[in-house]
Amino acid sequence: MVSDFDLRVEILIYFAPADVPLVRRIQTAVVLQWVFSFLALAPICIILFFFLLYTRFWLISVLYAIWWYIDWDTPSRGGRKVPFLCRMRVWEYTRDYFPIKLVKTADLDPRKNYVLGFHPHGILVAGAFTNFCTEATGFSKLFPGLRSNLLMLPLWFRAPFFRDYIMSAGLVPSDKGSASYLLRRKGGGNAVVIAVGGAPEALDAHPGDYTVHLANKKGFIKLAIEHGADLVPIYSFGENEVFDQLENPHGTWLRYIQERLQSIMGISLPLFHARGVFQYSFGLMPYRKPINTVVGRPIPVEKNKKPTAEELDVFHQRYMDELTHLFEEHKGNYGVPEDAHLLFQ
C-alpha cells in the first residue's frame, strides 16, 4: 500500500568542530557559568541553605542566617561592590564571546550624579551586566570618576548566598530607596543604571524588534529630578539578537499567561533558546552576535524635590526624543535597516 503522502521530519544538529581554538572554548565556558548564575544559581542557593540545616554542616546556615539579619539593609544602602572581582580577566572572555563594546558619545562630569536609562532589556541584559558590572569594556577608563551600579529586581536579594554574589558586582535592588541612597551621596560620581523596560520588555525581546517600554515610564524621570541627577539614554544595539524567543504577540494565550505570571511574581518568563555548548542548533547559550552599547549625551536636570506633572512630562518627552536621536544616529553603524525605528509602548 502506497501512502498518499510521505511525511518526513529531519532534525539537523550542527556540532562544533573539534579544532575550535582554546580561547573560544574558554569564552564558552565563562558565558555558560554566567547563564547558569542568571537562571539557576539563586534557587540552588536557597535549596542549599535549607539542606545544610539537616546535615552536620547546619552551623554554616545558622551563622549565615545571623549574618544575613545583621546585613539585611546593605543591598539598599549601596550594596557591597568588590572592584577586584569586577576587574577580573574572566569577564574579558564574556566580552569577547559576543563581542560586547561600550561606545561613548559624550563626556560625563564626575562631579555630577546620573540616572542612566538602559534600552532594551533583552533576555538576560548581557550588555548592561558586562558594561556596568565589570571593567571588561573599560567603563572607568571611558568615564573616569564615575561609579556604576546596576539595579536588579529586589526579589533576588532575598536569596541567601546569592545576594552576596550579585552585590559584589555592584548590583542593588531596583526600588526607589536603593537608587535614592546612591544619588544622595555627596561628591557626585554616582551612575545608577536602570533597565527602564524591566521584566515586561523581555517578552518583546525578539531579533529585529525595536520595541521599547517607555511611553508610560516616568518613575526614573521623577527620581532624577528629585535628586538633580542628569538623565543619560543608552541604547544597546544587538541586545535582542543574541536569543530567539517563541513567538508571543499580544492577544495570544501564551502572552496572556506570561503577563499574568509576571504581574504575580514580578519576573517575566520568556521562552527563549539559542545554541548549545557543543552544538549550534539548540540550547540556552546566547548566539555569538555583537552587542554595541551606545551611551548618549546627558540631559541636564535641575533638582526639584516635588516635581510637577508638567515637569515630568517635559523631561519624559525630552528623554524619548534624545533616545530616538541616539538610535537614529547610530543604527546605520550596527546593521539596523534604514526603515527600522523605535516603537514606544
Side-chain angles (χ1 to χ4, degrees):
M1 181 177 179
V2 179
S3 174
D4 293 332
F5 62 91
D6 180 21
L7 179 62
R8 294 186 302 172
V9 177
E10 185 177 10
I11 301 177
L12 298 178
I13 300 178
Y14 297 97
F15 288 95
D19 59 348
V20 171
L22 177 61
V23 66
R24 288 177 67 88
R25 294 192 183 279
I26 296 175
Q27 292 168 5
T28 300
V30 171
V31 172
L32 175 63
Q33 175 272 330
W34 173 72
V35 172
F36 167 79
S37 298
F38 197 102
L39 299 179
L41 189 56
I44 288 176
C45 286
I46 295 172
I47 293 171
L48 177 63
F49 176 80
F50 288 104
F51 173 76
L52 290 175
L53 290 172
Y54 296 94
T55 69
R56 60 179 178 172
F57 302 106
W58 58 270
L59 187 59
I60 295 176
S61 290
V62 172
L63 291 175
Y64 185 85
I66 296 172
W67 160 252
W68 194 2
Y69 176 79
I70 297 172
D71 196 55
W72 183 264
D73 291 329
T74 297
S76 59
R77 294 179 178 175
R80 190 165 43 243
K81 192 171 187 176
V82 182
F84 167 75
L85 295 178
C86 299
R87 291 193 297 266
M88 290 179 66
R89 188 181 177 187
V90 66
W91 302 120
E92 296 178 12
Y93 290 112
T94 303
R95 174 199 66 195
D96 296 339
Y97 174 91
F98 293 92
I100 297 175
K101 183 179 180 181
L102 184 63
V103 181
K104 173 182 176 180
T105 63
D107 291 330
L108 297 181
D109 188 345
R111 295 171 297 180
K112 295 183 177 182
N113 290 330
Y114 298 91
V115 174
L116 278 60
F118 183 89
H119 313 271
H121 182 285
I123 298 292
L124 300 184
V125 285
F129 178 84
T130 306
N131 287 309
F132 304 113
C133 294
T134 81
E135 283 296 326
T137 57
F139 176 82
S140 293
K141 292 180 180 179
L142 288 173
F143 303 102
L146 291 189
R147 300 174 297 275
S148 60
N149 289 91
L150 178 63
L151 271 59
M152 189 178 188
L153 284 173
L155 168 71
W156 301 120
F157 294 88
R158 300 294 179 255
F161 307 123
F162 184 72
R163 67 190 288 275
D164 300 278
Y165 173 71
I166 57 179
M167 276 197 294
S168 69
L171 289 154
V172 296
S174 58
D175 54 52
K176 185 177 180 179
S178 301
S180 295
Y181 182 91
L182 294 168
L183 295 174
R184 284 197 302 265
R185 284 177 171 173
K186 296 181 180 180
N190 300 291
V192 174
V193 186
I194 305 174
V196 178
E201 194 173 76
L203 299 179
D204 287 317
H206 297 273
D209 191 297
Y210 303 102
T211 300
V212 173
H213 288 221
L214 183 59
N216 299 309
K217 300 281 187 176
K218 298 180 182 179
F220 76 107
I221 302 289
K222 184 178 182 182
L223 176 73
I225 297 174
E226 288 176 343
H227 294 88
D230 287 1
L231 288 159
V232 181
I234 298 172
Y235 195 86
S236 193
F237 292 91
E239 195 75 39
N240 285 347
E241 309 299 319
V242 297
F243 288 102
D244 290 318
Q245 183 178 174
L246 196 63
E247 291 298 323
N248 59 342
H250 289 278
T252 61
W253 65 270
L254 175 57
R255 186 58 173 254
Y256 172 78
I257 293 174
Q258 288 175 322
E259 291 178 343
R260 286 291 296 169
L261 290 175
Q262 192 274 322
S263 65
I264 295 171
M265 300 186 301
I267 58 175
S268 61
L269 297 173
L271 300 181
F272 65 93
H273 60 92
R275 52 158 290 185
V277 177
F278 301 110
Q279 45 75 31
Y280 304 139
S281 301
F282 59 88
L284 298 180
M285 288 287 291
Y287 294 123
R288 286 179 177 267
K289 294 185 178 182
I291 296 176
N292 293 280
T293 304
V294 184
V295 181
R297 297 172 298 186
I299 302 171
V301 175
E302 292 293 330
K303 185 176 181 178
N304 182 358
K305 292 186 177 181
K306 294 183 179 180
T308 64
E310 291 77 12
E311 190 175 6
L312 287 175
D313 289 341
V314 168
F315 276 98
H316 183 256
Q317 186 60 53
R318 189 177 302 171
Y319 181 89
M320 292 178 65
D321 292 342
E322 193 64 35
L323 179 62
T324 300
H325 174 75
L326 181 71
F327 179 84
E328 295 294 334
E329 182 180 5
H330 294 275
K331 67 181 183 181
N333 298 331
Y334 305 115
V336 178
E338 184 63 31
D339 59 350
H341 307 286
L342 291 183
L343 174 62
F344 292 113
Q345 284 192 0

